[in-house]
Amino acid sequence: MKKILIVDDEPNILMALEYAFKKQDFEVFIARDGSEALEILKNEHPNVVLLDIMMPKVDGYQTLQIIKQNENLKDVKVVFLTAKSKKEDIEKGFSLGVDQYFTKPFSTKKIIAEINLLLQE
């Protein structure tokens, strides 16, 4: 079973994405900020982390950097889902090693399709 960790501080987004990915037979883990995500990653090894950037405590950029530095998580795909849509924000994400970048508002169908493609690589 494919596993996904969804990290966002907006409850409505978490609920919608959790429901959509469960319908696609993903095992879904939820975190409300980067520090919660990093705690989950100590015990779980998802195929992909769907990560917001602007969050309290530990933001998405910091979370991404910690994931990429962890030898045990090097095969985990990281996808940003954020309201930060400026060209320099997107470039920063890719320069830090994000595998895909989506901006809000978003299409759940498109995100699921793109993540499934990413997992086939």
Side-chain angles (χ1 to χ4, degrees), residues 85-96:
S85 58
K86 291 184 184 153
K87 185 176 180 232
E88 50 272 16
D89 295 323
I90 296 169
E91 288 171 354
K92 180 178 181 180
F94 282 111
S95 73
L96 293 173

Side-chain angles (χ1 to χ4, degrees), residues 96-112:
L96 293 173
V98 78
D99 295 287
Q100 186 61 273
Y101 197 110
F102 295 106
T103 56
K104 298 174 184 176
F106 60 92
S107 157
T108 305
K109 277 185 180 173
K110 182 177 179 195
I111 288 176
I112 291 170

